[in-house]
Each structure stands twice: as C-alpha cells, then as structure tokens.
Amino acid sequence: TQYRKDDLEILKSAIPKYNIIELFPNYLGDLNWFKTSKIPLFNQAGKVEGICGTLIPYENSDRLVRPYKEIYRALEYIKSHYCEKLSNKKLANIAGLSVRQFEVRFKGIFNCTVRQYIIKLKILKSCKMLTQQNMSIAEVAYDLGFCDQSLFTNTFKKHIGITPLKYIKK
C-alpha cells in the first residue's frame, strides 16, 4: 500500500512527509480519508530508528484552515454531485473564485486535482456500496459513473491495492 511505501521512503531518506491524504480504516473498520504527517525518529548516533506520525480525520482537520473555507461550498457541491460531470469553472463560481484561484487552492489543500479528488471520492463511496449494499461490481461501477466494470476495477485496485472482488471477500 502507499502508506507503507511512504514509511519505507522516510526510513531510507530521513526526510519527513507532511499533509498526506490517505485512506485508512477508522475505529469501526470503515474506510475514511485522513490527513497524516510522518517524521523520522533518530537514535543517538543519528540513524533513523523509526517514524512518528499523526493521523487526523480529514473532514475535521481542514475546516480550520482558511484555504479550505474558501472552497468549502464547492467541496460540498462535489460531495453531493460527484457522479455528474463537473467543470472547474462551475466549481470556481460556487466558491466565488476565479478558475485559476480555485484550482490552486484545491490542489494546495488536497495535493491533487479536482478530477483526482472525485475519483478518490468515488472509490471511497464504492467501498461502502460493495460491502453494505446488495449490488454487483458492474452495478457499482455504473452507479458511480465509470464507463465499464474494467475501468472501475483497475481504478479501485490502483487506490485500494486489491480488486473489488477481493475487497468484498475480505
């Protein structure tokens, strides 16, 4: 998984990573997005011995940050219309910003484009749909706006690390 790769990179390079958005199971075992920062821990000889990290539920952490507040309305719109075709122009209008300002602020907060964020949101929603609703993988893919099951499966595996079928079986 990506967080394991990040840990190994920090152990090797001794360079901290800040404000990483990652998918983790919460205390109930449901997958949610969290913001994490990781710093290397050094022994007395100056060698990296471990990693210290923080894990903050993403929704709660960013309401306190000014750039997030500037795009909050657009973000709420995305969350309720993520299966529709959304343009950055429309989202910028909702936020009351120019398209360029919106794109810069969005990327600054989430470290990804709006499109990448929407894909992550769809994958998060699919996790619940696959385990809590009696739907086939193809139905989930269709409901989330993927053009076919194959694209959904490949996208899911890229983000979660396993196929939707293996996810369901786990």
Side-chain angles (χ1 to χ4, degrees), residues 41-169:
L41 299 175
F42 300 91
N43 63 18
Q44 290 181 341
K47 183 179 176 185
V48 177
E49 286 284 320
I51 298 172
C52 177
T54 61
L55 190 65
I56 301 169
Y58 196 79
E59 295 294 324
N60 295 334
S61 65
D62 284 316
R63 290 184 194 267
L64 306 175
V65 181
R66 184 177 153 246
Y68 179 81
K69 287 182 179 179
E70 291 176 339
I71 67 163
Y72 179 77
R73 288 188 318 222
L75 186 60
E76 290 302 306
Y77 188 85
I78 290 169
K79 288 178 183 177
S80 59
H81 297 86
Y82 62 92
C83 288
E84 299 171 16
K85 187 166 179 74
L86 300 175
S87 71
N88 285 358
K89 182 177 180 181
K90 179 174 186 159
L91 295 170
N93 283 336
I94 291 169
L97 300 168
S98 73
V99 174
R100 180 75 181 132
Q101 287 173 321
F102 175 73
E103 290 171 346
V104 167
R105 282 176 178 78
F106 195 95
K107 187 151 185 146
I109 294 168
F110 293 99
N111 201 29
C112 65
T113 65
V114 173
R115 176 155 169 65
Q116 291 166 332
Y117 177 86
I118 291 171
I119 289 170
K120 289 177 184 180
L121 182 59
K122 287 180 178 185
I123 295 303
L124 178 61
K125 297 288 185 181
S126 74
C127 291
K128 284 191 175 192
M129 293 170 79
L130 290 167
T131 58
Q132 296 177 0
Q133 298 177 14
N134 190 20
M135 297 175 73
S136 71
I137 295 170
E139 289 171 323
V140 170
Y142 177 77
D143 279 5
L144 293 173
F146 287 89
C147 61
D148 61 39
Q149 182 178 334
S150 177
L151 176 61
F152 169 67
T153 297
N154 290 336
T155 305
F156 188 95
K157 186 174 182 181
K158 178 182 173 188
H159 288 274
I160 303 298
I162 58 175
T163 65
L165 185 58
K166 287 183 181 175
Y167 181 81
I168 292 167
K169 289 180 180 180

